[in-house]
Amino acid sequence: MNDLRVRWITFALLAGVGLYGVSHLEFTNSIKSFIPAAGELGDLSLELVDSPLARRMAISIGGGEKRTSVATALAESLRSHPEVAWVESGFDEDALRGIYELYFARRVYLISEKPEAEIPALLEPAALERRAAGLRRSLAQPDSMLVARTAPEDPLGLFQRIVDRIRDAHPALSSGSGSFESASGEHAIVLLGLRSSPFDSEHQAPLLDYLDSEFARLNAEAGGQMVLESSGINRVSVASERSIRGDTNFISAVSVSVVCALFLLIFHSLRHLAIAILTPLSGFAVAMAVALSGDNPVHGITLGFGFVLIGVAIDYPIHLMNHHALSPPGTLPRETVAQIRSSLLLSALTTTLAFVALALSDFPGLQAMGTFAAIGIAVALAVTLFSIPAFMSPSAVPTPAQHALAHGFARLVGWLGARDGLAVALFAACALIAAVGVPQLHWEDDPSTLIVGDPALIAESERVRARIADFDSGRFVVGLAPNAEAALVLNDQIHDQLAQAIAAGDLEGTSSLHTFLWSQALQRRNLEALRSVPDLAGRIDRIFVQSGFQSGAFRGFSAAVAAPSVAPLRAEDFAGTALERSVDSLVELEGRWAVVTYLRGVRSGDAIRRALAGLERARYIDQKEIVAGVYQGYRHSMVRVLALGCVIVFVVLQLRYRNLRAALLAFATAGLAALATYGAFGIFGVSVNVVSTVSLLLVLGMGVDYGIFTVDGARTSDRLGATLSSILVSCLTSVFVFGTLALSEQPALRAVGLTTGTGILFALVLSPAVFVMARRIRVRE
């Protein structure tokens, strides 16, 4: 196939793949991508992340007396937005009537959590006398209209017991004004539900923009003194995506600019630059197309990491062009390819193995990054071997910079060759850095540090949450059951056990569905306990007549006990009422039901676990504790994987060279560079995490590339300058590309950039010493 046809095929394939990627581009920034498999508790925690419990926002409006009217108007405006599933800002008369209708007819089911003991005590003569006296006092009050209407059917005040139980759990009932207010009364509260996932920025960003614009309009109409603050996963998600998008644009612009500037400085040719860019561009385009062909969107961090291919994949055309320019006159491009093909293939293989190890990670995000890079490297190698020669000139003249670098390295190697001690000293210095620093490393196992959040936004969210309820959203108890009723039965038991923990001082409080809804089994036990009281109607009538009430005034209550007008309360009965959102903590998952109880003031996780002992289907979840433990275990696993990767790479090198000393030298550049990197981090107090550990695989892969070219180049003196100058240019492009990652606002990308960039610098420093030592041994194919 002639060169012209190769060029057209290359351009056509690149254009087609590029258009596919642009037209299908969709990415996410969910932290779920960077959480590994965490067992039952971790999986359950992740399921709840995208449940209706997470699909909500809380809005706080303060700043003046008009806050309630502004909140009401904002809520009304938000109801019309297609992304808003529901909005609540307070209770009107219809809502309060709905609560009355929901509970009053069911008052005989919801008396006591321990009906067999407490209901008989409630109906003892002394207790009834106190109740009768209290009812007379209530009827004497100016606002006694509701009491007077309900007393004939509820002489024991059972409905009021229910209202008192739920009053503290709901912002509108506790405020007494009908509007949702903060505990201090200084902020109006609006709650809303989302139709889409909070991580779906395509839908959440327009909603947040609409919220801001509507509030700005209403605030201006109210005099401009109002302050809006909000809390919701969607706000953090959208802000993170915008940050990642900005990071991606910055990284790509700087990476391309630096690589182009360096290339022009060395090769003095825009044409050669354009040819070289084809390699990483092709690798990136194909990897992106493959990533977008799946069901899931590409993570923003994967997209940013993809630009690393510019620094890695451009190494191959750099080696080819530099060797070609420094080859004897008349050497054809494909002849140069033949000379270095084995080195290119071996270096690409080891680098791909490093990225494949990354793709085998338990982190979905790291799997995607590794797969993306492995595909990109393979494509870049293929383009270098088959397409790039078709674009190169038949002959090339080295630039002054290439001449200077080649001759400079030749002199440096000659100088080092006469001083064997210096080469050994370089190895010893790196080993010393590793020995001193590695024991001092500080490991960071908190996964939240991998995705940065806006501190101001997080602080605002915490303020809003504290105004509504100061429960810790990261610590909760989950009850699992095969159906909704079984989940409610379990929830009754969980509530009872946690009440004991509160009494013991191990817990300050809970936010539980039990406040609003009990299992039908417990409700029926209440009714049966009432019916089991001997002569219930006569007992009530006698005591209340003694307190001045008319005989037979409470026959309605006796009739309700004998034949309730409604069935026990169910979760479905809350639909359409003002308390509908209260049952959101009863969640249907895949093939099972979960009921969630949030906790406040956990003194000890072990104490909560002890409190739940005996409840096999109840789980205490501390998200930070669970994931930190998983990350710690995964970190140890990754160290073992890294060690295994080193063994695999070394075996490949041994098979290639069939000479132990040559294989050790080729591997020494990467191995010592990786150890010295962590040693330097330990000495300078740089924290490391699992992403840093995974990044050592990149150092291993690319460092071995330099070792391979160095050992191969040492076989012939005429390739000495070309090899080391190529390594220098390749190393500098990689350092600058990874250096831009180290400037990222995203900690995951920053860890990759800092670790890999530092490791490559160590590899560059070691390369001349390896070259000197490699020339002293005989390398056998």
Side-chain angles (χ1 to χ4, degrees):
M1 187 181 295
N2 62 46
D3 288 347
L4 181 61
R5 183 171 298 179
V6 171
R7 295 174 194 170
W8 280 111
I9 291 175
T10 301
F11 282 134
L13 291 175
L14 181 59
V17 172
L19 287 173
Y20 176 86
V22 171
S23 62
H24 289 77
L25 182 59
E26 180 182 1
F27 66 93
T28 181
N29 67 307
S30 171
I31 193 175
K32 291 166 63 177
S33 296
F34 286 88
I35 297 179
E40 180 192 13
L41 295 184
D43 294 342
L44 177 60
S45 182
L46 287 179
E47 283 188 81
L48 293 172
V49 164
D50 206 19
S51 73
L53 285 172
R55 297 190 181 194
R56 53 175 62 193
M57 283 188 71
I59 299 169
S60 167
I61 298 176
E65 296 179 354
K66 296 182 179 180
R67 59 182 179 272
T68 300
S69 60
V70 170
T72 302
L74 180 62
E76 193 62 34
S77 177
L78 288 171
R79 284 190 177 92
S80 63
H81 195 281
E83 177 52 31
V84 176
W86 52 266
V87 181
E88 292 181 354
S89 61
F91 290 163
D92 55 18
E93 290 186 4
D94 290 340
L96 293 173
R97 187 179 303 110
I99 294 175
Y100 172 82
E101 293 172 353
L102 184 67
Y103 282 107
F104 187 79
R106 297 179 174 88
R107 65 199 180 282
V108 296
Y109 296 118
L110 300 163
I111 303 169
S112 170
E113 297 163 358
K114 299 178 180 179
E116 292 81 8
E118 294 184 356
I119 288 179
L122 187 67
L123 294 169
E124 289 291 334
L128 288 175
E129 289 172 1
R130 288 193 297 272
R131 172 57 193 163
L135 180 57
R136 287 189 63 85
R137 287 192 298 270
S138 297
L139 289 171
Q141 299 297 320
D143 56 350
S144 64
M145 185 179 299
L146 179 60
V147 177
R149 190 178 72 177
T150 60
E153 296 185 8
D154 189 19
L156 302 181
L158 302 183
F159 177 66
Q160 187 61 46
R161 287 168 64 96
I162 296 171
V163 172
D164 290 343
R165 188 164 59 239
I166 66 176
R167 186 183 299 278
D168 293 338
H170 206 287
L173 289 177
S174 60
S175 71
S177 66
S179 299
F180 291 0
E181 295 180 355
S182 62
S184 66
E186 298 177 352
H187 299 84
I189 304 297
V190 178
L191 305 176
L192 60 90
L194 310 173
R195 295 191 187 278
S196 302
S197 167
F199 299 106
D200 184 356
S201 296
E202 182 181 352
H203 292 91
Q204 297 306 321
L207 170 61
L208 294 176
D209 292 339
Y210 178 80
L211 171 62
D212 291 339
S213 64
E214 281 299 288
F215 174 73
R217 177 181 64 81
L218 294 170
N219 187 29
E221 294 175 357
Q225 300 300 313
M226 301 296 106
V227 176
L228 180 145
E229 294 184 315
S230 62
S231 173
I233 296 175
N234 58 338
R235 287 203 66 199
V236 177
S237 176
V238 170
S240 296
E241 180 174 308
R242 288 171 175 169
S243 173
I244 290 174
R245 191 187 297 271
D247 253 13
T248 300
N249 293 336
F250 170 77
I251 290 169
S252 60
V254 173
S255 298
V256 171
S257 300
V258 169
V259 170
C260 290
L262 185 62
F263 207 93
L264 290 174
L265 179 67
I266 302 299
F267 292 93
H268 296 181
S269 170
L270 287 173
R271 179 172 179 272
H272 280 72
L273 172 62
I275 294 171
I277 286 294
L278 276 177
T279 298
L281 187 61
S282 299
F284 182 87
V286 173
M288 176 63 75
V290 172
L292 292 172
S293 64
D295 296 330
N296 299 319
V298 178
H299 199 284
I301 289 181
T302 301
L303 191 63
F305 183 79
F307 287 103
V308 170
L309 290 174
I310 295 174
V312 179
I314 205 170
D315 286 356
Y316 305 140
I318 286 175
H319 280 286
L320 175 58
M321 292 178 176
N322 200 49
H323 276 83
H324 182 59
L326 295 170
S327 295
T331 304
L332 297 176
R334 296 199 181 276
E335 292 176 341
T336 304
V337 169
Q339 294 173 5
I340 64 171
R341 179 182 289 114
S342 61
S343 298
L344 286 173
L345 287 171
L346 184 59
S347 64
L349 174 62
T350 54
T351 302
T352 301
L353 285 174
F355 284 118
V356 167
L358 186 61
L360 297 176
S361 163
D362 287 336
F363 292 70
L366 294 182
Q367 289 174 5
M369 291 165 66
T371 302
F372 195 104
I375 292 172
I377 291 298
V379 172
L381 175 66
V383 170
T384 301
L385 294 177
F386 301 108
S387 296
I388 295 301
F391 292 88
M392 294 171 60
S393 301
S395 60
V397 177
T399 65
Q402 287 175 293
H403 259 305
L405 288 174
H407 290 300
F409 270 112
R411 289 193 297 272
L412 174 62
V413 169
W415 184 78
L416 286 174
R419 297 166 177 81
D420 290 345
L422 286 178
V424 174
L426 282 175
F427 280 94
C430 289
L432 180 62
I433 291 172
V436 172
V438 169
Q440 302 181 47
L441 278 176
H442 172 261
W443 292 90
E444 177 58 73
D445 291 318
D446 184 357
S448 64
T449 60
L450 297 179
I451 305 261
V452 70
D454 183 346
L457 192 63
I458 294 173
E460 176 184 326
S461 179
E462 291 297 323
R463 287 195 300 272
V464 174
R465 286 181 56 248
R467 289 167 190 158
I468 301 172
D470 55 350
F471 294 98
D472 187 348
S473 60
R475 289 178 170 182
F476 48 88
V477 173
V478 179
L480 300 173
N483 55 64
E485 172 60 14
L488 290 174
V489 170
L490 179 59
N491 194 50
D492 294 338
Q493 298 170 337
I494 290 173
H495 175 79
D496 182 61
Q497 298 292 83
L498 292 179
Q500 296 179 38
I502 293 173
D506 295 325
L507 181 65
E508 290 183 7
T510 64
S511 175
S512 172
L513 174 61
H514 187 82
T515 302
F516 303 93
L517 176 64
W518 298 349
S519 66
Q520 292 195 37
L522 178 56
Q523 293 182 62
R524 295 187 187 281
R525 283 170 53 201
N526 273 262
L527 180 60
E528 291 304 317
L530 269 180
R531 289 174 173 175
S532 67
V533 175
D535 190 22
L536 175 63
R539 180 181 301 194
I540 292 175
D541 192 68
R542 285 191 298 272
I543 298 296
F544 276 72
V545 166
Q546 292 173 9
S547 296
F549 291 92
Q550 293 182 359
S551 177
F554 306 111
R555 292 192 183 97
F557 176 69
S558 300
V561 173
S565 60
V566 293
L569 189 62
R570 302 171 304 163
E572 304 91 281
D573 297 323
F574 285 81
T577 72
L579 297 178
E580 181 176 2
R581 305 275 67 84
S582 301
V583 296
D584 282 350
S585 56
L586 181 64
V587 184
E588 184 176 11
L589 303 177
E590 295 183 5
R592 56 184 175 171
W593 286 76
V595 60
V596 181
T597 300
Y598 287 102
L599 309 177
R600 179 181 68 242
V602 176
R603 306 300 185 196
S604 164
D606 289 337
I608 302 302
R609 294 185 186 95
R610 287 194 299 270
L612 298 173
L615 301 180
E616 294 182 359
R617 294 173 296 168
R619 305 286 188 271
Y620 168 66
I621 293 181
D622 183 330
Q623 291 178 316
K624 186 174 181 179
E625 178 184 281
I626 290 172
V627 180
V630 171
Y631 267 65
Q632 187 176 37
Y634 182 71
R635 181 232 301 172
H636 294 307
S637 174
M638 280 307 304
V639 170
R640 291 192 294 270
V641 169
L642 182 63
L644 178 61
C646 291
V647 172
I648 293 173
V649 169
F650 181 76
V651 169
V652 171
L653 293 174
Q654 178 62 26
L655 292 174
R656 163 68 173 83
Y657 294 115
R658 300 183 185 279
N659 182 299
L660 181 60
R661 287 182 295 174
L664 283 172
L665 280 176
F667 180 77
T669 304
L672 267 181
L675 289 173
T677 297
Y678 264 17
F681 287 175
I683 292 171
F684 291 103
V686 178
S687 296
V688 296
N689 51 42
V690 290
V691 176
S692 305
T693 304
V694 172
S695 299
L696 288 184
L697 289 170
L698 310 185
V699 175
L700 177 66
M702 288 182 286
V704 168
D705 287 356
Y706 304 149
I708 290 168
F709 278 102
T710 301
V711 172
D712 287 354
R715 291 178 299 176
T716 56
S717 58
D718 59 322
R719 292 173 58 182
L720 185 154
T723 297
L724 288 180
S725 60
S726 298
I727 290 174
L728 173 64
V729 177
S730 298
C731 178
L732 290 177
T733 57
S734 297
V735 167
F736 282 123
V737 168
F738 284 107
T740 60
L741 285 180
L743 298 176
S744 169
E745 293 183 1
Q746 297 301 319
L749 288 179
R750 189 162 59 242
V752 172
L754 186 61
T755 304
T756 311
T758 304
I760 291 172
L761 280 176
F762 275 115
L764 175 63
V765 171
L766 288 169
S767 292
V770 171
F771 200 101
V772 169
M773 299 179 74
R775 293 188 68 179
R776 296 185 178 277
I777 65 174
R778 182 177 181 180
V779 180
R780 187 159 49 88
E781 292 290 343

